[in-house]
Amino acid sequence: GPPSLFNVMAFWLVALVTTAFSSLNERELRRRRLDLEALTTMSHELEHAAAPDEVARIVLDRVGDAFGLRRGYVLLCREGRDPHALAYRGPGPMQETPRAVDAVVRTAFETRQVQLVHQLEEDTNPMTTAILLFARNVIVAPLFAEGEPVGALILERGEQARRVERRVVSMIDQFATHGALALRNALLLEQVRRLAATDALTGLANRRTLEEMLEREISRATRQRDEVTLVMIDLDHFKSLNDTHGHQVGDEVLRHVGRRLSEQCRDFDTPARYGGEEFAVVLPRCSREEAAEVADRMRTSLASGAPVHLTASAGVATFPTQARSSDELIRAADHALYRAKGAGRDRTSSWTRASGMGHLATARSYG
C-alpha cells in the first residue's frame, strides 16, 4: 500500500538530520583545514625569525588571526630574571606591567595545560589585568620547550563567546608547542651571539665588537657631521698587582673595572675590554672639548670600591678632528695613553698633532 504519513515524515526527518550532519561535518572539516593551514603558515614564518621578540610577534599574530582574537601578549619567563611581555596585540599601547608571574600562569606551568578563565582577579593576576584591562574569557597556554617553561601565550577571547570550543583549545595548544620551540631556539641563538660579542670575565664588549661598533659609529658620525671620542684606559702596575695579590684578586679587579665602566657609560656608549688590563670606551656624540673631562671621570671612578689600591691611565682622541678613520682613532688614543704612562701614570692625556705619531709601534705592555 501507499506509505503512511508517519513513514514519509520519518524519511524526511532522517534526510534532514543526515543533511545537517553532513554540512556540520563539512564545516568542521573546513575549519580544521584552515586551522592547519594557519599553523603551517606560522611554522614557515618562524623558520626565518631569529630574534625572540620577532618569534613572539609571529606566534601572537598568527593565533590571533586564526581565532579572531583582538588582544593578547607573549610573556617571557626565564630563570633568575623578571618576567616581561615580549609581544603585545591589541588596540592602544601596552600598559606597564608589574614584575610578577600571575597565578593563572603558574597554574598553567604546574599542570602543563591550557587554562581558561572567565574573569581575572587583580589580586592574583596583577600582570594580565594590567596589560589586558577588563579582559573576559582569557586563554593561557604555557610555552614549554624540552621540558622547561620559557613563557606563556595569553589571549583574550572576549565577550563574543561564552565557552571556548575544545577544537580551539587544542589548536592553541599546538600553536603554543611550535612557538615555544622557536622561542627557545631564538633565545639560545641570542645567548651564543652575546657570548661571541662579550668578554667572559668582565661581561663587557670584546675587542672585535668594539672595533665593529667604532666602524659603525664613525660611519654614522660621517653622515651626520658628528663627533666620536675613543678613550683607552690601562690599569697601572697591573703585573705587579697580580704578582703581589695573585691572579684571583687580579681577576676581581678586572671585573670591578668592568662594572665601574658600565655604570659610568650612557646607554649608547660602548665600554670594552680591549685586551689584558687595557679597556676602551666608544663615546658617540662626545666632542673633543668634553672628551678629556669625561675620560678623566671614568678613569678616576675605577679607584672607588676596588678590591686593592688601583690607579689607571687614559688616552683620548676624537673623530674627525684628530683622526680620519677608526684605525687612526685607535692609534691616536693609544698614543695619547702611551704619553700618559710616560708622564707618570694616573692621569689622562689627549692626542695632539704637535706630539706627533712617533711612538705608534710601541709595545702594548705599558705596566
XYZ file of all heavy atoms in Angstrom, residues 41-138:
767
model
N 51.493 28.005 8.048
C 51.987 29.346 7.703
C 52.896 29.877 8.811
O 53.970 30.412 8.551
C 50.798 30.320 7.492
O 49.984 29.806 6.454
C 51.282 31.709 7.115
N 52.428 29.719 10.070
C 53.229 30.186 11.206
C 54.585 29.465 11.264
O 55.622 30.098 11.462
C 52.473 29.982 12.516
C 53.199 30.570 13.718
S 52.429 30.166 15.310
C 53.096 28.514 15.607
N 54.565 28.145 11.067
C 55.818 27.362 11.109
C 56.816 27.843 10.066
O 58.013 27.960 10.343
C 55.521 25.873 10.901
O 54.713 25.398 11.949
N 56.325 28.147 8.848
C 57.206 28.659 7.776
C 57.802 30.008 8.175
O 58.991 30.258 7.980
C 56.437 28.796 6.456
C 56.170 27.486 5.773
N 57.136 26.517 5.661
C 55.047 26.981 5.173
C 56.635 25.470 5.019
N 55.358 25.726 4.722
N 56.964 30.882 8.730
C 57.442 32.211 9.134
C 58.467 32.110 10.264
O 59.440 32.867 10.294
C 56.260 33.085 9.569
C 55.406 33.554 8.399
C 54.250 34.430 8.843
O 54.160 34.767 10.038
O 53.421 34.787 7.984
N 58.240 31.177 11.184
C 59.159 31.020 12.327
C 60.541 30.535 11.892
O 61.535 30.814 12.563
C 58.570 30.054 13.363
C 57.363 30.580 14.148
C 56.815 29.502 15.076
C 57.735 31.826 14.966
N 60.590 29.819 10.775
C 61.889 29.339 10.260
C 62.823 30.504 9.924
O 64.039 30.365 9.976
C 61.682 28.476 9.014
C 61.184 27.070 9.312
C 60.835 26.305 8.048
O 61.343 26.680 6.973
O 60.052 25.335 8.126
N 62.244 31.652 9.562
C 63.051 32.809 9.160
C 63.198 33.851 10.278
O 63.792 34.895 10.060
C 62.432 33.464 7.915
C 62.257 32.504 6.777
N 63.320 31.998 6.066
C 61.142 31.933 6.249
C 62.870 31.158 5.150
N 61.551 31.101 5.236
N 62.637 33.561 11.450
C 62.707 34.521 12.571
C 63.871 34.160 13.483
O 64.009 33.017 13.904
C 61.403 34.509 13.347
N 64.729 35.139 13.778
C 65.909 34.872 14.607
C 65.780 35.466 16.006
O 66.233 34.875 16.982
C 67.157 35.421 13.925
N 65.152 36.641 16.122
C 65.083 37.336 17.419
C 63.872 36.868 18.222
O 62.808 36.615 17.657
C 65.005 38.844 17.191
N 64.007 36.748 19.564
C 62.884 36.310 20.405
C 61.622 37.157 20.246
O 60.521 36.617 20.175
C 63.454 36.431 21.831
C 64.924 36.276 21.673
C 65.242 36.905 20.356
N 61.769 38.489 20.154
C 60.578 39.335 20.028
C 59.894 39.146 18.668
O 58.669 39.269 18.553
C 60.899 40.808 20.284
C 61.981 41.356 19.379
O 62.658 40.562 18.700
O 62.165 42.584 19.347
N 60.683 38.808 17.646
C 60.119 38.538 16.310
C 59.310 37.239 16.337
O 58.210 37.170 15.781
C 61.274 38.429 15.298
C 60.842 38.479 13.850
C 62.002 38.242 12.875
O 63.178 38.191 13.323
O 61.714 38.082 11.683
N 59.853 36.210 17.008
C 59.153 34.936 17.168
C 57.825 35.163 17.898
O 56.770 34.698 17.469
C 60.029 33.922 17.954
C 59.209 32.711 18.399
C 61.212 33.462 17.108
N 57.885 35.912 19.003
C 56.682 36.179 19.812
C 55.626 36.909 18.997
O 54.431 36.586 19.065
C 57.058 36.987 21.039
N 56.052 37.877 18.204
C 55.124 38.655 17.375
C 54.420 37.756 16.352
O 53.208 37.840 16.161
C 55.911 39.776 16.677
C 55.293 40.466 15.483
C 53.981 41.144 15.718
N 53.959 41.968 16.911
C 52.879 42.133 17.680
N 51.755 41.535 17.362
N 52.921 42.890 18.757
N 55.162 36.862 15.692
C 54.586 35.951 14.689
C 53.553 35.026 15.338
O 52.442 34.853 14.830
C 55.704 35.131 13.984
C 56.531 36.050 13.075
C 55.109 33.969 13.177
C 57.821 35.428 12.564
N 53.928 34.419 16.471
C 53.020 33.490 17.168
C 51.724 34.207 17.550
O 50.622 33.718 17.285
C 53.699 32.889 18.426
C 52.702 32.067 19.247
C 54.891 32.015 18.036
N 51.868 35.385 18.144
C 50.706 36.155 18.606
C 49.788 36.550 17.445
O 48.563 36.393 17.519
C 51.199 37.400 19.349
C 50.217 38.145 20.242
C 49.547 37.212 21.238
C 50.946 39.257 20.985
N 50.376 37.024 16.362
C 49.586 37.450 15.202
C 48.883 36.278 14.523
O 47.709 36.375 14.143
C 50.457 38.193 14.189
C 50.724 39.633 14.616
O 50.049 40.105 15.551
O 51.617 40.274 14.039
N 49.592 35.165 14.360
C 49.004 34.016 13.669
C 47.866 33.388 14.484
O 46.821 33.025 13.933
C 50.081 32.957 13.362
C 50.979 33.362 12.216
C 50.263 33.297 10.871
N 50.888 34.191 9.905
C 50.383 35.321 9.459
N 49.198 35.725 9.874
N 51.012 36.072 8.586
N 48.053 33.256 15.794
C 46.993 32.705 16.649
C 45.804 33.670 16.678
O 44.654 33.262 16.547
C 47.510 32.454 18.085
C 46.372 31.995 18.999
C 48.597 31.403 18.094
N 46.127 34.955 16.847
C 45.070 35.972 16.897
C 44.234 35.993 15.631
O 43.000 36.030 15.678
N 44.899 35.935 14.470
C 44.189 35.951 13.182
C 43.362 34.679 12.980
O 42.241 34.737 12.480
C 45.180 36.101 12.016
C 45.843 37.480 11.992
O 45.375 38.372 12.734
O 46.835 37.654 11.262
N 43.925 33.539 13.373
C 43.253 32.249 13.148
C 41.962 32.136 13.956
O 40.988 31.537 13.496
C 44.188 31.095 13.490
N 41.943 32.708 15.153
C 40.779 32.522 16.024
C 40.051 33.839 16.348
O 39.223 33.889 17.256
C 41.199 31.810 17.312
C 41.857 30.487 17.044
C 43.230 30.322 17.194
C 41.116 29.407 16.580
C 43.840 29.106 16.920
C 41.709 28.199 16.302
C 43.072 28.040 16.457
N 40.363 34.891 15.596
C 39.662 36.153 15.755
C 39.836 36.784 17.125
O 38.866 37.276 17.717
N 41.053 36.753 17.649
C 41.334 37.297 18.984
C 41.986 38.676 18.847
O 43.031 38.807 18.220
C 42.254 36.351 19.760
C 41.799 34.881 19.802
C 42.894 34.000 20.352
C 40.528 34.731 20.631
N 41.394 39.691 19.450
C 41.898 41.054 19.280
C 43.054 41.368 20.222
O 43.916 42.171 19.913
C 40.774 42.066 19.539
C 39.816 42.212 18.378
C 38.765 43.255 18.676
N 39.319 44.594 18.634
C 38.947 45.594 19.434
N 38.033 45.395 20.352
N 39.482 46.788 19.326
N 43.023 40.760 21.409
C 44.037 41.137 22.409
C 44.813 39.923 22.926
O 44.281 38.813 23.003
C 43.375 41.839 23.599
C 42.740 43.167 23.224
C 42.629 44.076 24.437
N 41.710 43.560 25.442
C 41.610 44.096 26.667
N 42.381 45.112 27.025
N 40.743 43.595 27.538
N 46.053 40.176 23.307
C 46.869 39.120 23.885
C 48.313 39.562 24.007
O 48.696 40.636 23.540
N 49.113 38.734 24.654
C 50.547 39.013 24.730
C 51.333 37.726 24.961
O 50.765 36.700 25.362
C 50.861 40.079 25.784
C 50.670 39.680 27.239
C 51.755 39.315 28.039
C 49.415 39.714 27.837
C 51.588 38.991 29.373
C 49.236 39.393 29.165
C 50.326 39.023 29.933
O 50.160 38.696 31.258
N 52.613 37.792 24.662
C 53.513 36.668 24.931
C 54.400 37.074 26.094
O 55.079 38.101 26.041
C 54.372 36.309 23.696
C 55.386 35.227 24.056
C 53.487 35.831 22.556
N 54.355 36.264 27.141
C 55.156 36.521 28.334
C 56.425 35.681 28.290
O 56.353 34.473 28.050
C 54.337 36.166 29.580
C 55.003 36.441 30.934
C 55.088 37.936 31.196
C 54.227 35.760 32.056
N 57.569 36.310 28.483
C 58.838 35.582 28.539
C 59.194 35.356 30.002
O 59.217 36.293 30.800
C 59.945 36.394 27.852
C 61.338 35.763 27.826
C 61.349 34.494 26.981
C 62.373 36.742 27.294
N 59.437 34.103 30.371
C 59.833 33.767 31.749
C 61.141 32.998 31.706
O 61.187 31.881 31.191
C 58.783 32.897 32.425
S 57.209 33.696 32.635
N 62.189 33.616 32.256
C 63.481 32.919 32.305
C 63.964 32.865 33.740
O 63.765 33.803 34.509
C 64.506 33.629 31.426
C 64.326 33.317 29.960
C 65.470 33.823 29.125
N 65.373 35.253 28.897
C 66.221 35.934 28.132
N 67.229 35.315 27.563
N 66.077 37.226 27.959
N 64.605 31.761 34.084
C 65.066 31.560 35.464
C 65.993 32.690 35.903
O 66.904 33.091 35.178
C 65.812 30.219 35.549
C 65.612 29.538 36.892
C 66.221 28.135 36.933
O 66.006 27.377 35.955
O 66.898 27.845 37.904
N 65.721 33.222 37.088
C 66.587 34.261 37.644
C 66.349 35.648 37.079
O 67.056 36.591 37.409
N 65.352 35.800 36.194
C 65.064 37.118 35.621
C 63.595 37.454 35.783
O 62.752 36.560 35.833
C 65.401 37.148 34.127
C 66.863 36.914 33.845
C 67.166 37.307 32.427
N 68.433 36.741 31.980
C 68.958 36.980 30.799
N 68.332 37.747 29.944
N 70.112 36.447 30.454
N 63.306 38.753 35.829
C 61.912 39.187 35.902
C 61.190 38.800 34.619
O 61.752 38.937 33.531
C 61.832 40.717 36.053
C 62.197 41.162 37.459
O 62.124 40.322 38.371
O 62.557 42.337 37.632
N 59.934 38.335 34.732
C 59.168 38.072 33.510
C 58.822 39.384 32.823
O 58.664 40.408 33.491
C 57.898 37.387 34.038
C 57.756 37.883 35.435
C 59.144 38.121 35.951
N 58.733 39.359 31.511
C 58.270 40.559 30.819
C 57.567 40.211 29.506
O 57.793 39.150 28.937
C 59.412 41.565 30.590
C 60.342 41.182 29.494
N 61.411 40.350 29.700
C 60.368 41.521 28.177
C 62.068 40.186 28.553
N 61.457 40.881 27.615
N 56.693 41.115 29.077
C 55.938 40.904 27.843
C 56.852 41.102 26.646
O 57.492 42.134 26.505
C 54.753 41.859 27.792
N 56.912 40.085 25.793
C 57.804 40.108 24.633
C 57.087 40.655 23.394
O 57.715 41.230 22.513
C 58.286 38.679 24.376
C 59.607 38.449 23.681
C 60.738 39.192 24.378
C 59.937 36.957 23.641
N 55.780 40.452 23.335
C 54.980 40.979 22.216
C 53.572 41.240 22.724
O 53.091 40.555 23.627
C 54.952 39.978 21.062
N 52.914 42.226 22.122
C 51.572 42.617 22.557
C 50.677 42.821 21.335
O 51.125 43.337 20.315
C 51.648 43.907 23.381
C 50.305 44.543 23.678
C 49.428 43.961 24.590
C 49.919 45.721 23.046
C 48.191 44.537 24.858
C 48.680 46.302 23.308
C 47.819 45.714 24.217
O 46.597 46.276 24.478
N 49.430 42.401 21.457
C 48.459 42.582 20.377
C 47.210 43.213 20.982
O 46.706 42.738 22.002
C 48.101 41.216 19.769
C 46.997 41.241 18.710
C 46.670 39.801 18.328
N 45.518 39.687 17.423
C 45.594 39.560 16.115
N 46.773 39.560 15.524
N 44.506 39.421 15.384
N 46.758 44.280 20.384
C 45.546 44.893 20.901
C 45.468 46.362 20.544
O 46.448 46.955 20.113
N 44.305 46.928 20.740
C 44.182 48.361 20.485
C 44.927 49.160 21.550
O 44.915 48.798 22.718
C 42.670 48.604 20.575
C 42.136 47.466 21.381
C 43.050 46.313 21.182
N 45.598 50.223 21.127
C 46.315 51.085 22.076
C 47.642 50.491 22.502
O 47.924 49.314 22.257
N 48.480 51.304 23.152
C 49.785 50.809 23.602
C 49.646 49.873 24.801
O 48.646 49.916 25.507
C 50.517 52.100 24.013
C 49.419 53.042 24.396
C 48.245 52.706 23.533
N 50.655 49.034 24.997
C 50.629 48.119 26.132
C 50.850 48.894 27.431
O 51.691 49.782 27.491
C 51.711 47.053 25.972
C 51.540 45.907 26.957
S 52.867 44.708 26.839
C 54.144 45.538 27.758
N 50.114 48.520 28.479
C 50.279 49.161 29.787
C 51.574 48.669 30.436
O 52.079 47.597 30.118
C 49.096 48.814 30.704
C 47.733 49.157 30.126
C 47.563 50.652 29.904
O 47.867 51.450 30.771
N 47.089 51.025 28.721
N 52.095 49.446 31.370
C 53.254 48.997 32.164
C 52.860 47.750 32.944
O 51.735 47.647 33.438
C 53.686 50.101 33.132
C 54.566 51.158 32.490
C 55.885 50.606 31.947
O 56.600 49.942 32.709
O 56.168 50.814 30.764
N 53.774 46.814 33.074
C 53.413 45.550 33.724
C 54.102 45.372 35.064
O 55.305 45.614 35.187
C 53.802 44.355 32.817
O 55.212 44.381 32.623
C 53.111 44.437 31.490
N 53.357 44.914 36.097
C 54.006 44.569 37.366
C 54.938 43.381 37.150
O 54.640 42.501 36.347
C 52.828 44.172 38.272
C 51.598 44.618 37.566
C 51.927 44.662 36.116
N 56.040 43.362 37.865
C 57.039 42.302 37.652
C 56.751 41.066 38.514
O 57.460 40.769 39.467
C 58.444 42.842 37.973
C 58.859 43.973 37.041
C 59.367 43.404 35.734
N 59.852 44.438 34.849
C 59.225 44.840 33.759
N 58.073 44.315 33.442
N 59.741 45.756 32.986
N 55.655 40.375 38.205
C 55.327 39.156 38.951
C 54.557 38.216 38.051
O 53.750 38.659 37.242
C 54.499 39.504 40.180
N 54.827 36.916 38.193
C 54.110 35.928 37.378
C 52.728 35.729 37.993
O 52.588 35.534 39.191
C 54.881 34.589 37.328
C 54.075 33.535 36.585
C 56.220 34.776 36.639
N 51.699 35.788 37.150
C 50.331 35.627 37.624
C 50.054 34.201 38.096
O 50.682 33.248 37.631
C 49.359 35.965 36.486
C 49.293 37.456 36.210
O 49.770 38.225 37.062
O 48.758 37.841 35.161
N 49.051 34.083 38.966
C 48.650 32.770 39.488
C 48.193 31.848 38.359
O 48.516 30.655 38.343
C 47.539 32.937 40.512
N 47.459 32.402 37.389
C 46.964 31.584 36.282
C 48.120 31.061 35.417
O 48.068 29.936 34.905
C 45.930 32.367 35.433
C 46.551 33.531 34.685
C 45.221 31.438 34.448
N 49.187 31.841 35.296
C 50.371 31.391 34.542
C 51.085 30.283 35.316
O 51.502 29.272 34.734
C 51.335 32.574 34.263
C 52.611 32.086 33.583
C 50.652 33.628 33.389
N 51.200 30.466 36.638
C 51.828 29.417 37.469
C 51.048 28.108 37.370
O 51.635 27.030 37.254
C 51.911 29.872 38.932
C 53.070 30.819 39.205
C 53.398 30.886 40.696
N 52.256 31.368 41.481
C 51.981 32.650 41.680
N 52.762 33.583 41.156
N 50.936 33.018 42.401
N 49.719 28.213 37.388
C 48.880 27.007 37.255
C 49.104 26.343 35.895
O 49.201 25.116 35.803
C 47.379 27.372 37.413
O 47.202 28.057 38.649
C 46.497 26.137 37.387
N 49.203 27.154 34.850
C 49.465 26.616 33.501
C 50.802 25.887 33.471
O 50.922 24.822 32.847
C 49.440 27.750 32.480
N 51.819 26.439 34.158
C 53.135 25.789 34.214
C 53.060 24.470 34.991
O 53.627 23.471 34.587
C 54.166 26.708 34.879
C 54.625 27.857 34.014
C 55.236 28.970 34.589
C 54.466 27.836 32.644
C 55.679 30.031 33.809
C 54.900 28.894 31.853
C 55.500 29.994 32.435
N 52.374 24.509 36.135
C 52.309 23.312 37.001
C 51.537 22.173 36.340
O 51.935 21.010 36.427
C 51.652 23.685 38.343
C 52.581 24.478 39.258
C 51.823 25.248 40.337
O 50.615 24.968 40.546
O 52.436 26.134 40.980
N 50.428 22.513 35.675
C 49.600 21.471 35.051
C 50.028 21.154 33.619
O 49.650 20.130 33.066
C 48.121 21.920 35.012
O 48.020 23.124 34.241
C 47.580 22.164 36.414
N 50.821 22.090 33.039
C 51.237 21.988 31.628
C 50.028 21.934 30.696
O 50.057 21.288 29.645
C 52.135 20.768 31.387
C 53.420 20.821 32.156
C 54.430 19.868 31.587
N 55.655 19.891 32.337
C 56.810 19.418 31.929
N 56.878 18.849 30.742
N 57.890 19.478 32.661
N 48.956 22.612 31.097
C 47.735 22.606 30.298
C 47.223 24.028 30.084
O 47.471 24.911 30.903
C 46.650 21.792 30.999
C 46.924 20.291 30.949
C 45.843 19.508 31.667
O 45.117 20.039 32.494
N 45.746 18.231 31.349
N 46.486 24.196 28.981
C 45.865 25.485 28.685
C 44.835 25.795 29.769
O 44.038 24.934 30.141
C 45.179 25.457 27.294
C 44.415 26.747 27.033
C 46.212 25.223 26.190
N 44.867 27.017 30.281
C 43.931 27.454 31.319
C 42.901 28.417 30.723
O 43.257 29.293 29.930
C 44.679 28.162 32.456
C 45.718 27.304 33.148
C 45.118 26.094 33.833
O 44.226 26.221 34.662
N 45.602 24.911 33.469
N 41.649 28.248 31.117
C 40.565 29.134 30.674
C 39.996 29.853 31.891
O 39.606 29.214 32.861
C 39.461 28.325 29.990
C 39.882 27.414 28.825
C 38.704 26.588 28.344
C 40.434 28.250 27.680
N 39.970 31.175 31.837
C 39.452 31.963 32.953
C 38.425 32.952 32.421
O 38.730 33.744 31.518
C 40.588 32.740 33.677
C 40.054 33.433 34.918
C 41.747 31.826 34.034
N 37.213 32.916 33.001
C 36.160 33.818 32.525
C 36.498 35.272 32.854
O 36.396 36.155 32.014
C 34.811 33.430 33.137
C 33.710 34.396 32.790
N 33.363 34.674 31.474
C 32.917 35.175 33.564
C 32.396 35.570 31.470
N 32.111 35.900 32.727
N 36.944 35.494 34.101
C 37.292 36.854 34.516
C 38.443 36.801 35.509
O 38.402 36.038 36.468
C 36.077 37.539 35.157
C 36.276 39.027 35.351
C 34.997 39.707 35.834
O 33.910 39.134 35.768
N 35.119 40.918 36.333
N 39.479 37.600 35.270
C 40.673 37.585 36.128
C 40.511 38.510 37.325
O 39.934 39.591 37.206
C 41.905 38.024 35.320
C 42.349 37.083 34.199
C 43.315 37.803 33.282
C 43.003 35.827 34.752
N 41.075 38.075 38.458
C 41.093 38.921 39.663
C 42.436 39.628 39.744
O 43.490 38.996 39.576
C 40.876 38.064 40.920
C 39.525 37.368 40.978
C 38.362 38.349 41.030
O 38.527 39.428 41.640
O 37.303 38.050 40.441
N 42.408 40.911 40.039
C 43.640 41.711 40.071
C 44.602 41.246 41.165
O 45.819 41.285 40.995
C 43.296 43.191 40.287
C 44.473 44.111 39.985
C 44.100 45.576 40.095
O 42.896 45.896 40.169
O 45.024 46.396 40.108
N 44.060 40.784 42.296
C 44.900 40.355 43.425
C 45.811 39.199 43.041
O 46.988 39.179 43.408
C 44.026 39.907 44.612
C 43.233 41.072 45.188
O 43.533 42.226 44.796
O 42.331 40.831 46.002
N 45.259 38.226 42.315
C 46.037 37.017 41.991
C 46.713 37.085 40.617
O 47.676 36.378 40.374
C 45.122 35.772 42.036
O 43.950 36.038 41.265
C 44.741 35.436 43.462
N 46.180 37.937 39.731
C 46.737 38.040 38.378
C 47.007 39.500 37.998
O 46.402 40.033 37.062
C 45.782 37.394 37.368
C 45.554 35.922 37.660
O 46.456 35.113 37.547
N 44.334 35.583 38.076
N 47.928 40.156 38.734
C 48.143 41.597 38.515
C 48.696 41.945 37.139
O 48.341 42.964 36.570
C 49.145 41.977 39.617
C 49.828 40.698 39.981
C 48.800 39.630 39.792
N 49.559 41.062 36.582
C 50.191 41.380 35.305
C 49.168 41.381 34.165
O 49.081 42.336 33.392
C 51.320 40.399 34.992
C 52.033 40.705 33.684
S 53.389 39.582 33.330
C 54.711 40.361 34.235
N 48.400 40.301 34.066
C 47.443 40.189 32.962
C 46.323 41.225 33.074
O 45.889 41.783 32.067
C 46.877 38.756 32.890
O 47.976 37.852 32.750
C 45.963 38.576 31.696
N 45.870 41.496 34.293
C 44.818 42.508 34.448
C 45.344 43.903 34.122
O 44.592 44.765 33.670
C 44.213 42.500 35.874
O 45.270 42.494 36.823
C 43.312 41.314 36.097
N 46.659 44.128 34.310
C 47.251 45.427 33.951
C 47.405 45.560 32.437
O 47.151 46.616 31.871
C 48.604 45.593 34.641
N 47.809 44.460 31.778
C 48.042 44.514 30.327
C 46.716 44.450 29.558
O 46.491 45.212 28.624
C 48.975 43.370 29.867
C 50.353 43.524 30.509
C 49.138 43.365 28.346
C 51.293 42.377 30.238
N 45.841 43.523 29.968
C 44.561 43.343 29.285
C 43.443 43.858 30.192
O 42.759 43.072 30.857
C 44.336 41.864 28.930
C 45.435 41.164 28.119
C 45.091 39.695 27.911
C 45.652 41.850 26.770
N 43.277 45.159 30.223
C 42.267 45.762 31.100
C 40.872 45.227 30.788
O 40.500 45.121 29.621
C 42.278 47.288 30.935
C 43.482 48.033 31.527
C 43.517 49.458 31.002
C 43.435 48.032 33.040
N 40.118 44.867 31.850
C 38.725 44.400 31.738
C 38.592 43.186 30.809
O 37.597 43.048 30.101
C 37.801 45.537 31.248
C 38.011 46.835 31.968
C 38.481 47.954 31.281
C 37.776 46.946 33.332
C 38.689 49.162 31.939
C 37.983 48.144 33.997
C 38.440 49.255 33.311
N 39.589 42.339 30.807
C 39.572 41.170 29.909
C 38.502 40.154 30.323
O 38.244 39.967 31.519
C 40.941 40.504 29.899
N 37.886 39.523 29.312
C 36.898 38.463 29.539
C 37.315 37.226 28.745
O 37.811 37.337 27.638
C 35.513 38.904 29.056
C 34.894 40.025 29.875
C 34.401 39.524 31.236
N 33.758 40.585 31.995
C 34.433 41.492 32.723
N 35.738 41.461 32.761
N 33.784 42.418 33.411
N 37.054 36.054 29.334
C 37.355 34.770 28.683
C 38.809 34.723 28.210
O 39.106 34.783 27.017
C 36.393 34.518 27.513
C 34.959 34.386 28.003
O 34.701 33.702 28.991
N 34.040 35.057 27.344
N 39.696 34.637 29.176
C 41.139 34.653 28.903
C 41.653 33.215 28.763
O 41.280 32.324 29.520
C 41.894 35.402 30.033
C 43.403 35.302 29.842
C 41.461 36.863 30.062
